[in-house]
Amino acid sequence: MFDFKNILKNFKIAGNFSEAKAFGSGHINDTFLVKILGKNQKKYVLQRKNGDIFKNIPGLVNNMKIATEHIRKKLIEKNTSNIDEKVLSMIPCFNGENYFLDNENNYWCLYDFIDNCKSYNIADTFQKAVYCGEAFGEFIYQLSGLDTNLCVETIPEFHNVIIRLNNFHKAVDSNISERVCELAEEIFFVEEREEEMKTFYSQAKNIMPKRIIHNDTKLNNVLFDENDNILCVVDLDTVMPGLVLYDFGDAIRTISNPCSEDEKDVSKIIFNIEMYEAFAKGFLNRTGNILTKPEIENLACSAKLMTFIIGLRFLTDYIEGDVYFKIAHPKHNLERAKVQFKLLSSMEENFDKMQEIITKFFETEDLKLRTGD
Ligand code: ADP
Ligand code: GN1
Ligand code: MG
């Protein structure tokens, strides 16, 4: 495996390496929970960034540093208690960098472990959905004062559906893993929605501001405390400029799915509109007064766009032979794609109601919009 002891000695921490265990259920990086023995035992999260996916890791780490320092400053200004639980703390190396590059070209980052926290893959209460909305909404609000030019694009065109569709068609044409013949239904599903998604994306890009956003707003990227109150937003690898729609839509696809992202029985995947409403309420409570009219009016549609994009990415990866997302079994990416597509079909059936919910919030002043603190 990895030589954890030698990796850790480059970071500014006191004590001796005791153990490292694989941690979390992310699809991209290798994450370890590390124990250090010293005067007191201390835990850290050590992460090997995926260098195949992230082509500019120093830039990525710089984005993280800018975002976490900005949030920390805001929390200090508001006299917030326990700040170290509310924003990730990156541990620097002795050479001053916030990452360590080993001899095998692996980039490592170290964070303080936020103790006694929990993360969830499925939202089982409305309260979690509201809190998750507040957490990602607050994240955007906190970063809204940052100049978007300060952050690089860690994955260029990450949520550009036009480019994702081009990649998909190239993958189908080259059929490198000879899997296309089994995928007629899924390919047809994509083709049926292709024009709608491209049109929506192109129009949205023209009329909405770019903001610094999270870009990977899965429920399990939010940490909750023992009483299920929000602690902190994690997984900041894709913090970069983007549209608010990406964060809203991506979160909805996990919050409104009653099952796991790789549920084998797709008949169980039924869009949960009450969870959608709960998330939207939390999110808009935190961001409502900074969002523009076009942003608000397109939130419901963003849920369809992001569910489509993630399904398309899972399907493309399956066609290409599972080169991007970590998989646990051969059909894993296909199963994931089917879940997203079923969820999208179910959203389509509820779309008018989804729109009404957003409109209602603003018409009935059901929201306790922040007053600009
Ligand atoms: P990936 O990019 O692979 O998804 P994450 O950064 O999301 O990796 O980390 C994986 C999981 O580890 C998260 O879902 C969260 O549960 C947990 N985690 C990450 N950072 C911390 C932290 N500083 N303290 C406690 N748990 C953490
Ligand atoms: C990846 O890192 P993780 O597991 O939180 C992916 C997201 C996908 C998600 C699907 C950098 O997120 O874009 O939505 O898997 N992250 C990257 O579960 O590609
Ligand atoms: Mg993650």
Side-chain angles (χ1 to χ4, degrees):
M1 234 313 183
F2 300 108
D3 187 351
F4 292 111
K5 197 171 168 188
N6 267 317
I7 294 164
L8 285 159
K9 76 177 189 219
N10 295 280
F11 289 92
K12 277 193 189 169
I13 51 173
N16 296 314
F17 170 70
S18 153
E19 63 171 60
K21 279 193 197 148
F23 186 60
S25 56
H27 298 338
I28 306 294
N29 297 310
D30 295 323
T31 310
F32 303 92
L33 178 60
V34 167
K35 279 191 194 152
I36 300 289
L37 293 179
K39 258 200 244 153
N40 301 309
Q41 174 175 289
K42 201 152 165 21
K43 291 184 201 156
Y44 296 92
V45 172
L46 177 69
Q47 203 165 54
R48 184 172 76 116
K49 299 293 176 189
N50 187 325
D52 294 330
I53 289 177
F54 299 110
K55 302 295 182 201
N56 174 6
I57 295 176
L60 174 157
V61 172
N62 193 44
N63 285 2
M64 281 177 113
K65 194 68 194 159
I66 289 171
T68 52
E69 277 183 359
H70 189 81
I71 293 175
R72 187 170 288 273
K73 209 174 102 208
K74 297 265 160 202
L75 294 172
I76 292 170
E77 280 167 14
K78 284 173 70 184
N79 282 325
T80 310
S81 56
N82 304 328
I83 288 181
D84 287 337
E85 293 180 350
K86 295 184 180 143
V87 59
L88 271 187
S89 301
M90 301 181 75
I91 314 288
C93 288
F94 287 106
N95 67 6
E97 301 291 359
N98 289 296
Y99 60 85
F100 167 63
L101 176 60
D102 72 16
N103 292 334
E104 268 99 57
N105 228 16
N106 294 311
Y107 285 83
W108 296 90
C109 286
L110 190 68
Y111 314 98
D112 267 333
F113 177 70
I114 298 175
D115 221 344
N116 302 318
C117 68
K118 297 186 274 187
S119 62
Y120 298 94
N121 289 318
I122 300 174
D124 54 359
T125 62
F126 295 125
Q127 192 60 58
K128 281 194 191 107
V130 174
Y131 282 170
C132 183
E134 288 182 358
F136 285 125
E138 184 69 13
F139 189 81
I140 290 178
Y141 179 78
Q142 285 167 327
L143 296 180
S144 60
L146 263 187
D147 178 356
T148 50
N149 295 314
L150 291 174
C151 290
V152 294
E153 280 197 62
T154 57
I155 302 182
E157 307 292 349
F158 191 41
H159 296 310
N160 183 333
V161 74
I162 299 172
I163 291 183
R164 294 288 180 193
L165 279 160
N166 287 345
N167 294 343
F168 163 77
H169 287 299
K170 275 190 222 150
V172 170
D173 290 345
S174 64
N175 193 12
I176 190 155
S177 299
E178 299 182 353
R179 290 173 169 176
V180 167
C181 57
E182 48 169 309
L183 301 173
E185 208 179 308
E186 287 73 29
I187 292 173
F188 181 65
F189 184 94
V190 170
E191 286 173 350
E192 269 187 313
R193 288 155 183 82
E194 180 157 2
E195 282 317 308
E196 177 199 345
M197 296 298 168
K198 281 187 188 170
T199 308
F200 173 68
Y201 174 80
S202 307
Q203 285 172 353
K205 260 188 90 169
N206 281 336
I207 53 172
M208 282 172 216
K210 272 201 173 176
R211 303 177 180 280
I212 307 271
I213 60 160
H214 186 280
N215 276 301
D216 188 1
T217 50
K218 283 187 353 187
L219 175 62
N220 74 10
N221 286 331
V222 173
L223 303 183
F224 292 80
D225 74 10
E226 295 146 322
N227 302 316
D228 285 335
N229 292 312
I230 290 290
L231 285 176
C232 174
V233 167
V234 296
D235 202 345
L236 307 182
D237 299 337
T238 48
V239 170
M240 59 177 161
L243 305 185
V244 78
L245 299 192
Y246 305 154
D247 277 6
F248 183 85
D250 199 7
I252 292 299
R253 73 169 190 90
T254 50
I255 288 289
S256 69
N257 177 0
C259 304
S260 67
E261 205 177 52
D262 52 6
E263 170 60 52
K264 284 186 167 51
D265 179 359
V266 288
S267 69
K268 293 190 196 152
I269 310 292
I270 296 166
F271 172 66
N272 185 328
I273 195 152
E274 282 87 17
M275 286 290 182
Y276 164 85
E277 182 162 14
F279 179 90
K281 186 169 182 172
F283 189 84
L284 288 168
N285 264 330
R286 296 293 153 161
T287 55
N289 70 341
I290 60 164
L291 299 186
T292 60
K293 198 160 175 263
E295 289 178 305
I296 293 164
E297 284 171 353
N298 287 288
L299 289 173
C301 210
S302 76
K304 291 199 293 181
L305 175 74
M306 293 308 297
T307 310
F308 178 78
I309 290 180
I310 311 296
L312 181 68
R313 289 174 57 199
F314 285 140
L315 182 62
T316 306
D317 199 30
Y318 181 69
I319 297 171
E320 289 182 331
D322 310 308
V323 290
Y324 188 96
F325 296 103
K326 287 183 186 172
I327 54 162
H329 53 268
K331 298 236 174 191
H332 210 163
N333 272 319
L334 178 58
E335 287 161 10
R336 290 166 172 158
K338 287 184 177 181
V339 167
Q340 296 303 309
F341 291 166
K342 177 68 199 310
L343 186 66
L344 173 54
S345 301
S346 183
M347 281 180 191
E348 288 168 345
E349 288 163 19
N350 285 277
F351 188 62
D352 291 345
K353 279 187 245 147
M354 290 168 72
Q355 283 281 32
E356 271 166 34
I357 284 169
I358 305 287
T359 316
K360 189 194 76 189
F361 278 142
F362 284 89
E363 282 175 354
T364 60
E365 291 181 47
D366 198 8
L367 290 178
K368 290 184 245 49
L369 292 180
R370 64 162 70 246
T371 49
D373 51 321

